[in-house]
């Protein structure tokens, strides 16, 4: 079993907790592999990391999430701030440039990292970045996002999550047929209908809206030396994050690279969202090796 060491890096406004699996100078010479998400923390990559014991794997908790405590008095999660944190983390590792596998909101952060610090990353695999502006129905996507936020504010986590699931599982563009649906019942998804009283969830509140509001600069991203691969799950077809992935890839003049399973295809059963981590890891390895 690969030994995992946990460290804390103090950066302006936060103490970032990160985990390093394996030595920072692997004998094989492959770059360290940084796995990042948002709002997912390091624990979400445990199953995937188990399939890369021949490489150094680094995971972390973004500021204000999981074990990483923020001291800047803010509650918003922006790709710009998180990318700046990652740059400092890669510098602290002393093992850059690195390869990056980035999931969901982490994929947005990683695009900003590559845009601002292209020397930090050899290959970026950005899996299903949720970016509204690239969609032909961007305004409707923002309206759908507002709907799950409003459900959360009105009735708490279960109501907000039910509306979020409805949004992210909807097939195709957000038409009036989508908005004409009744408000989803949390009980349909096996969730309590009670209001838990929280209103600051990083996914359901407005705290992470800067992620989906991100505007990628194609002229910058296509000029950097980093190899950027936009990835999409084969089972995600037609859903919101599959469409944002396809449109982001098109913006960068490429076709999205298909990975096994769905948006959480690398998960090993965490959060009740099991994927196919072994198949996913094999595909990721092939993509990284091709670089």
């Amino acid at each position: 079993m690969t030994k995992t060491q946990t460290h804390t890096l103090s950066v302006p406004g936060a103490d970032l907790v990160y985990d390093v699996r394996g030595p920072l100078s692997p004998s094989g010479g492959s770059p360290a592999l940084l796995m990042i998400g948002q709002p997912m923390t390091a624990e979400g990559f445990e199953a995937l990391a188990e399939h890369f014991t021949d490489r150094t794997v680094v995971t972390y908790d973004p500021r204000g999430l999981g074990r990483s405590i923020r001291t800047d008095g803010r509650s918003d999660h922006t790709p710009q701030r998180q990318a700046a944190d990652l740059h400092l983390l890669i510098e602290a590792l002393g093992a850059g440039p690195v390869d990056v596998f980035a999931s969901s909101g982490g994929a947005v952060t990683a695009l900003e990292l590559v845009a601002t610090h292209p020397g930090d990353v050899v290959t970026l695999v950005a899996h299903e970045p949720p970016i509204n502006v690239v969609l032909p129905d961007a305004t409707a996507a923002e309206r759908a996002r507002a709907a799950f936020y409003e459900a959360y504010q009105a009735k708490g986590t279960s109501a907000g999550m039910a509306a979020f699931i409805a949004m992210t599982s909807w097939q195709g563009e957000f038409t009036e047929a989508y908005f004409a649906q009744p408000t989803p019942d949390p009980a349909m998804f096996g969730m309590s209908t009670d209001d838990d009283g929280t209103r600051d969830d990083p996914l359901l509140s407005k705290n992470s809206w800067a992620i989906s509001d991100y505007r990628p600069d194609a002229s910058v991203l296509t000029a950097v030396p980093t190899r950027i691969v936009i990835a999409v799950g084969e089972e995600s077809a037609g859903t919101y994050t599959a469409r944002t992935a396809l449109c982001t890839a098109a913006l960068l003049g490429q076709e999205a690279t298909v990975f096994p399973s769905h948006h959480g295809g690398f998960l090993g059963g965490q959060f009740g969202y099991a994927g196919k981590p072994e198949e996913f890891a094999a595909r990721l390895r092939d993509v990284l090796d091709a670089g």
Side-chain angles (χ1 to χ4, degrees), residues 244-269:
T244 58
L246 295 175
C247 290
T248 301
L251 180 70
L252 301 184
Q254 60 178 263
E255 292 187 3
T257 298
V258 178
F259 271 63
S261 197
H262 44 61
H263 189 66
F266 53 91
L267 293 171

Side-chain angles (χ1 to χ4, degrees), residues 171-186:
Q171 287 286 314
E173 295 188 11
F174 294 106
T175 62
E176 287 305 317
Y178 172 80
F179 297 106
Q181 298 178 111
T183 302
D185 182 352

Side-chain angles (χ1 to χ4, degrees), residues 155-167:
K155 297 183 179 179
T157 298
S158 293
M161 185 57 69
F164 174 78
I165 293 171
M167 174 188 175

Side-chain angles (χ1 to χ4, degrees), residues 184-276:
D185 182 352
M188 294 169 52
F189 304 101
M191 295 184 289
S192 169
T193 57
D194 295 336
D195 186 339
D196 63 355
T198 69
R199 296 296 185 271
D200 59 354
D201 184 274
L203 181 65
L204 302 175
S205 69
K206 289 185 177 181
N207 289 347
S208 297
W209 277 24
I211 298 290
S212 49
D213 282 339
Y214 183 68
R215 292 179 173 270
D217 189 328
S219 64
V220 171
L221 291 171
T222 54
V224 298
T226 302
R227 173 176 168 249
I228 301 174
V229 178
I230 306 298
V232 63
E234 63 182 349
E235 297 174 20
S236 300
T239 64
Y240 165 70
T241 53
R243 294 195 302 117
T244 58
L246 295 175
C247 290
T248 301
L251 180 70
L252 301 184
Q254 60 178 263
E255 292 187 3
T257 298
V258 178
F259 271 63
S261 197
H262 44 61
H263 189 66
F266 53 91
L267 293 171
Q270 306 99 312
F271 321 115
Y273 200 46
K276 300 175 181 177

Side-chain angles (χ1 to χ4, degrees), residues 48-101:
L48 184 59
E50 289 177 0
H51 296 284
F52 287 90
T53 55
D54 58 324
R55 297 182 63 156
T56 302
V57 175
V58 180
T59 55
Y60 95 125
D61 293 353
R63 68 167 56 207
L65 299 172
R67 302 161 296 171
S68 292
I69 306 302
R70 65 192 309 169
T71 57
D72 58 4
R74 301 176 66 97
S75 59
D76 58 331
H77 305 286
T78 72
Q80 293 79 12
R81 180 65 266 173
Q82 291 186 7
D85 286 346
L86 286 172
H87 172 64
L88 294 175
L89 174 57
I90 292 167
E91 277 193 335
L93 291 172
V98 300
D99 284 340
V100 177
F101 169 70

